[in-house]
């Protein structure tokens, strides 16, 4: 464990999304609505996957965990963000800020690796369908899932070690609606280029490796699809990947907008909410574009009506 820092700051003030009074209530209602959609959508997918036996396959096993992470991710961030709309000062303790930062990093890194595992799952299903049940056995799926969560723990712990070595002795106004790495670096009294470099190395490893895995997987998938002679077969193959491709694009796109900037562009005034919409939209994408989920939803409703 790192040595205890010498911070004189015992609490932080989160600046929120806006300081314009006329926008506070509309934004509060907007993001409350997004949070409700996130909760209902993700818990709905979790429930459907658990109740319908025909969804007990690797693809939905990983989707179950993706929804669980999205729900937990939004629950970690949403309360403090909504608080900034209805209170004059959105104050969070030092310990609370570090805790929020840890879980935010854990969920982001875990999700990026689960998305890469889902890409590998689609690769095996399309490129080697006859070996799918052997390659994606329950034991393999469990190991892949544990690996994804393990990378989440690695990313979060490494980031926190970096932050715990820094001191906060001046301004305590965090230019964000949550406790995130880069805004905290801006406030540190002793942060250096090395601290910033560590952040970008960790992000490159934690996000870059999944991106490479996804690109390679879809390279093989595209090659296999182009060798399918029938138009119907190609369409079916593309449809099995479309939802995942959209979710991957939204997740890594919002992340790139936030983090993949040169060190000279540290201020985060713009793009603060780029990842907020992702957790609300994700379950809708898988629900509206996935035939199996629609069928499971109808069956569940029918069973409820009959009972």
């Amino acid at each position: 464990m790192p040595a205890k820092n010498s911070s004189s700051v015992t609490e932080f003030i989160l600046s929120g999304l806006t300081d314009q009074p006329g926008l506070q209530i509309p934004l509060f209602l907007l993001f409350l609505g997004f949070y409700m959609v996130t909760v209902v959508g993700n818990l709905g997918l979790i429930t459907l996957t658990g109740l319908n036996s025909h969804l007990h396959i690797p693809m939905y096993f990983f989707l179950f965990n993706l929804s669980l992470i999205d729900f937990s991710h939004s629950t970690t961030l949403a309360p403090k963000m909504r608080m900034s709309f209805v209170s004059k000062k959105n104050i969070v303790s030092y310990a609370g800020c570090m805790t929020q930062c840890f879980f935010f990093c854990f969920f982001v890194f875990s999700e990026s690796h689960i998305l890469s595992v889902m890409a590998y799952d689609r690769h095996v299903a399309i490129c080697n369908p006859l070996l799918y049940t052997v390659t994606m056995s329950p034991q393999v799926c469990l190991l892949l899932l544990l690996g994804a969560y393990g990378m989440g723990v690695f990313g979060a712990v490494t980031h926190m070690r970096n932050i715990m070595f820094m001191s906060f002795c001046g301004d305590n106004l965090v230019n964000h609606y949550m406790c995130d790495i880069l805004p905290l670096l801006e406030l540190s009294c002793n942060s250096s280029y090395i601290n910033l470099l560590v952040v970008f190395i960790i992000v490159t490893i934690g996000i870059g490796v999944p991106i490479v895995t996804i690109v390679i997987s879809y390279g093989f998938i595209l090659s296999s699809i182009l060798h399918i002679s029938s138009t119907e077969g190609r369409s079916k193959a593309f449809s099995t990947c479309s939802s995942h491709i959209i979710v991957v694009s939204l997740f890594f796109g919002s992340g790139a907008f936030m983090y993949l900037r040169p060190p000279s562009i540290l201020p985060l005034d713009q793009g603060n909410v780029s990842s907020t919409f992702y957790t609300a939209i994700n379950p809708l994408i898988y629900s509206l574009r996935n035939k199996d989920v629609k069928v499971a939803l109808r069956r569940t409703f029918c069973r409820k009506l009959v009972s």
Side-chain angles (χ1 to χ4, degrees), residues 217-259:
S217 296
Y218 275 106
F220 284 114
I221 289 172
L222 182 61
S223 176
S224 296
I225 290 176
L226 293 177
H227 284 85
I228 298 176
S229 56
S230 68
T231 305
E232 183 181 353
R234 289 185 182 181
S235 176
K236 185 177 180 181
F238 273 120
S239 66
T240 62
C241 302
S242 59
S243 298
H244 183 258
I245 291 174
I246 294 172
V247 169
V248 165
S249 301
L250 288 172
F251 178 78
F252 289 108
S254 63
F257 190 70
M258 285 288 290
Y259 295 105

Side-chain angles (χ1 to χ4, degrees), residues 51-70:
L51 293 179
N52 292 270
S53 57
H54 75 284
L55 297 182
H56 294 174
I57 58 176
M59 175 181 174
Y60 294 101
F61 171 71
F62 296 122
L63 180 57
F64 176 96
N65 284 275
L66 187 69
S67 295
L68 183 62
I69 289 176
D70 281 339

Side-chain angles (χ1 to χ4, degrees), residues 40 104 209 229 243:
V40 173
F104 170 72
V209 171
S229 56
S243 298

Side-chain angles (χ1 to χ4, degrees), residues 145-157:
L145 181 66
L146 291 177
Y149 284 127
M151 288 303 296
V153 172
F154 163 78
V157 169

Side-chain angles (χ1 to χ4, degrees), residues 183-198:
L184 291 174
L185 275 176
E186 288 183 313
L187 297 182
S188 175
C189 307
N190 62 345
S191 64
S192 64
Y193 181 78
I194 298 299
N195 295 110
L196 187 60
L197 183 62
V198 169

Side-chain angles (χ1 to χ4, degrees), residues 18-272:
T18 180
D19 56 0
Q20 300 181 31
L23 295 177
Q24 301 284 355
I25 298 303
L27 285 175
F28 173 82
L29 295 175
L30 175 65
F31 285 98
L32 178 61
F34 270 109
Y35 179 66
M36 292 175 66
V37 171
T38 300
V39 170
V40 173
N42 284 296
L43 289 184
L45 275 177
I46 291 171
T47 303
L48 284 176
T49 305
L51 293 179
N52 292 270
S53 57
H54 75 284
L55 297 182
H56 294 174
I57 58 176
M59 175 181 174
Y60 294 101
F61 171 71
F62 296 122
L63 180 57
F64 176 96
N65 284 275
L66 187 69
S67 295
L68 183 62
I69 289 176
D70 281 339
F71 168 74
S72 303
H73 182 188
S74 61
T75 302
T76 301
L77 304 180
K80 273 296 176 184
M81 182 177 67
R82 294 198 305 273
M83 186 73 69
S84 66
F85 297 131
V86 296
S87 61
K88 292 182 179 180
K89 281 188 177 182
N90 190 9
I91 299 175
V92 58
S93 67
Y94 179 88
C97 187
M98 296 301 108
T99 301
Q100 186 187 62
C101 187
F102 174 87
F103 282 107
F104 170 72
C105 294
F106 169 73
F107 292 133
V108 168
F109 278 85
S110 297
E111 179 151 358
S112 66
H113 283 84
I114 284 183
L115 287 172
S116 69
V117 168
M118 293 175 74
Y120 174 70
D121 172 72
R122 293 298 84 204
H123 159 252
V124 175
I126 293 174
C127 300
N128 299 290
L130 297 180
L131 298 176
Y132 181 74
T133 55
V134 176
T135 306
M136 300 301 294
S137 65
Q139 294 81 3
V140 171
C141 290
L142 182 60
L143 287 175
L144 290 172
L145 181 66
L146 291 177
Y149 284 127
M151 288 303 296
V153 172
F154 163 78
V157 169
T158 310
H159 270 313
M160 294 312 298
R161 285 180 64 88
N162 190 27
I163 291 178
M164 295 297 286
F165 276 118
M166 297 188 299
S167 297
F168 302 93
C169 49
D171 187 13
N172 66 340
L173 179 63
V174 179
N175 182 29
H176 213 311
Y177 62 84
M178 66 176 183
C179 291
D180 198 3
I181 304 295
L182 298 185
L184 291 174
L185 275 176
E186 288 183 313
L187 297 182
S188 175
C189 307
N190 62 345
S191 64
S192 64
Y193 181 78
I194 298 299
N195 295 110
L196 187 60
L197 183 62
V198 169
V199 170
F200 279 91
I201 289 175
I202 297 169
V203 171
T204 300
I205 295 173
I207 305 299
V209 171
I211 289 176
V212 171
T213 303
I214 290 170
V215 170
I216 292 175
S217 296
Y218 275 106
F220 284 114
I221 289 172
L222 182 61
S223 176
S224 296
I225 290 176
L226 293 177
H227 284 85
I228 298 176
S229 56
S230 68
T231 305
E232 183 181 353
R234 289 185 182 181
S235 176
K236 185 177 180 181
F238 273 120
S239 66
T240 62
C241 302
S242 59
S243 298
H244 183 258
I245 291 174
I246 294 172
V247 169
V248 165
S249 301
L250 288 172
F251 178 78
F252 289 108
S254 63
F257 190 70
M258 285 288 290
Y259 295 105
L260 297 185
R261 309 181 186 195
S264 59
I265 314 180
L266 250 180
L268 298 174
D269 298 89
Q270 302 190 9
N272 275 355

